Amino acid sequence: MLNPRLIALLLALLVSSITCVFIWFVAPSITIIFVAFVASFFTTGILIFMVLDYFIFEEVNNIYATLQDLKMKGLSISKKKIGKIPNPLKKINEDLNIYATKKERQITDLKRLERFRREFLADVSHELKTPIFAAQGFVHTLIDGAVNDVVVRDKFLEKAAKSLDGLDALVRDLVALSQMESGEIKMNRAITDLGKLTSEVVEQLEKMAINKNISISISQPNNIPILVNIDTFRMNQVLTNLIENAIKYGNEGGKVQIIFESNQKFWKVTVKDNGPGIPANHLDRIFERFYRVEKSRSKDMGGTGLGLAIVKHILAGHRSKISVSSKLEKGTSFSFKLEKAIG
């Protein structure tokens, strides 16, 4: 291992040997050569040691100590002195590269989070402002005298109530999403027949499907029970959101398919429509809060814009993740896997 003493010793031996060889050719005397060797060895060794230890290794150790003070979580920097490391300058270079890489990654993440925060605040303010202003306008109109007209009063009160219901749904979704992200909501799991739960969700959305003349089919292998260990309430939210979206954004007169596929360990659930599809450049972002592929069209169809973000977090709480595939004019498929339960 390299250290100031070893380097000084090696260099002193080298210089002393060269000096003795030179003296041997000039004056081949054993006594002179011995005296010259001893004098040059100690003089050279002490000088080289002082230079290396006090001017180079000491400063390098200070740099290394600073690195230790600045090290980030996960940055592995040895607490050994530089003098005990085989190649100190190479080690410092490696640690500096690791530190710089981690700092660069951290800065990139901070910029991404800052951009997300700005977008999120803008979206939240916009989403909250719309129902509040709508309800406010209806109420003020009634206060200004429209309350005396029974027809206008009932109509405006109904619209104000609808706006406030939308605001309530938005706030509840925001609270739920925030709690999921912070881990405050725990999944209350129980062994459940996912096929039966899906049928119940389809029944609840049947009227919506009939209004758009959309047929819904459930494909279940041999009609066997689909037993999974899930939070039934939360998984109902997942299925409701995915099937409702398939109906809402599907073509009139189209079809929605819910397909269950089995392997040794998992049940794979796919919700598929034959609607207009989602452009490829939007697929990576559709699970973000308030992200809408077509904002004007999505607004007309209602919803808080948080459904898919909630779906993503619920499935993450079940140690699963959702995937999406889509082709324009051919439809969209959402899929996820759940581990089989023994029951």
Side-chain angles (χ1 to χ4, degrees):
M1 293 185 180
L2 295 179
N3 59 60
R5 291 183 179 83
L6 180 59
I7 295 174
L9 177 64
L10 293 174
L11 289 176
L13 283 172
L14 179 63
V15 171
S16 300
S17 299
I18 293 172
T19 302
C20 291
V21 170
F22 178 76
I23 293 174
W24 175 262
F25 286 106
V26 175
S29 169
I30 298 297
T31 304
I32 295 174
I33 291 173
F34 176 76
V35 172
F37 177 84
V38 172
S40 62
F41 177 80
F42 282 103
T43 303
T44 305
I46 292 171
L47 288 174
I48 292 174
F49 174 76
M50 291 178 63
V51 170
L52 288 176
D53 191 48
Y54 293 103
F55 293 101
I56 297 178
F57 274 77
E58 190 66 29
E59 293 303 318
V60 172
N61 272 315
N62 290 335
I63 294 172
Y64 209 63
T66 303
L67 274 178
Q68 292 179 22
D69 292 337
L70 292 175
K71 69 177 179 178
M72 298 163 54
K73 186 179 180 181
L75 177 59
S76 176
I77 295 180
S78 172
K79 292 184 177 181
K80 293 180 179 179
K81 283 283 189 178
I82 286 297
K84 297 181 180 180
I85 296 175
N87 195 334
L89 295 179
K90 182 179 179 181
K91 177 62 177 170
I92 284 184
N93 185 54
E94 289 174 353
D95 287 338
L96 282 173
N97 284 334
I98 293 171
Y99 182 77
T101 302
K102 287 184 175 290
K103 290 294 287 183
E104 185 177 2
R105 190 180 302 123
Q106 183 184 41
I107 291 169
T108 301
D109 289 342
L110 287 173
K111 287 181 178 178
R112 180 180 57 80
L113 290 172
E114 175 63 19
R115 185 178 68 253
F116 175 78
R117 185 186 67 82
R118 287 199 304 268
E119 292 177 357
F120 175 67
L121 288 175
D123 287 336
V124 168
S125 62
H126 177 73
E127 297 292 336
L128 291 174
K129 180 174 65 177
T130 302
I132 289 173
F133 280 8
Q136 189 179 40
F138 295 133
V139 171
H140 279 293
T141 302
L142 292 173
I143 291 173
D144 290 339
V147 69
N148 297 319
D149 187 324
V150 177
V151 176
V152 173
R153 181 190 63 197
D154 292 346
K155 182 179 178 181
F156 276 31
L157 284 174
E158 186 179 341
K159 289 185 176 181
K162 187 176 180 181
S163 296
L164 292 174
D165 287 343
L167 179 61
D168 177 61
L170 175 61
V171 172
R172 280 190 284 106
D173 281 353
L174 275 172
V175 171
L177 187 58
S178 176
Q179 289 174 333
M180 287 177 193
E181 290 180 342
S182 63
E184 293 179 23
I185 291 182
K186 304 300 180 184
M187 298 296 170
N188 300 312
R189 301 191 185 198
I191 296 179
T192 306
D193 185 346
L194 192 61
K196 185 178 179 181
L197 180 63
T198 303
S199 297
E200 292 172 0
V201 172
V202 170
E203 286 178 11
Q204 294 168 6
L205 298 173
E206 188 176 13
K207 184 178 178 181
M208 182 180 180
I210 290 172
N211 290 338
K212 288 194 69 174
N213 192 28
I214 287 177
S215 63
I216 303 177
S217 64
I218 300 176
S219 176
Q220 185 173 339
N222 301 321
N223 291 318
I224 60 175
I226 301 171
L227 298 180
V228 286
N229 190 15
I230 57 172
D231 185 316
T232 306
F233 174 73
R234 297 295 174 191
M235 196 55 60
N236 185 293
Q237 284 182 283
V238 170
L239 292 169
T240 299
N241 188 281
L242 295 178
I243 298 171
E244 187 177 42
N245 280 353
I247 297 170
K248 189 186 298 182
Y249 299 110
N251 292 327
E252 192 131 358
K255 60 181 179 179
V256 173
Q257 297 173 282
I258 300 124
I259 304 166
F260 294 99
E261 298 172 280
S262 172
N263 61 26
Q264 288 186 344
K265 192 174 181 181
F266 295 98
W267 279 106
K268 181 181 179 183
V269 185
T270 301
V271 178
K272 184 178 181 181
D273 65 62
N274 62 343
I278 302 171
N281 60 312
H282 292 281
L283 290 177
D284 290 338
R285 300 196 60 188
I286 60 173
F287 297 103
E288 294 179 11
R289 303 177 187 183
F290 300 118
Y291 190 81
R292 290 182 169 95
V293 178
E294 295 180 39
K295 293 190 176 181
S296 58
R297 183 167 174 250
S298 299
K299 277 287 188 183
D300 294 339
M301 294 184 177
T304 62
L306 297 171
L308 288 178
I310 291 174
V311 165
K312 176 183 173 183
H313 283 283
I314 291 175
L315 290 175
H318 287 80
R319 296 191 297 275
S320 180
K321 61 181 180 179
I322 189 163
S323 60
V324 58
S325 61
S326 185
K327 290 184 179 180
L328 292 179
E329 305 307 327
K330 291 188 177 181
T332 302
S333 295
F334 288 91
S335 301
F336 60 92
K337 291 181 180 180
L338 293 172
E339 192 169 354
K340 289 182 176 180
I342 299 174

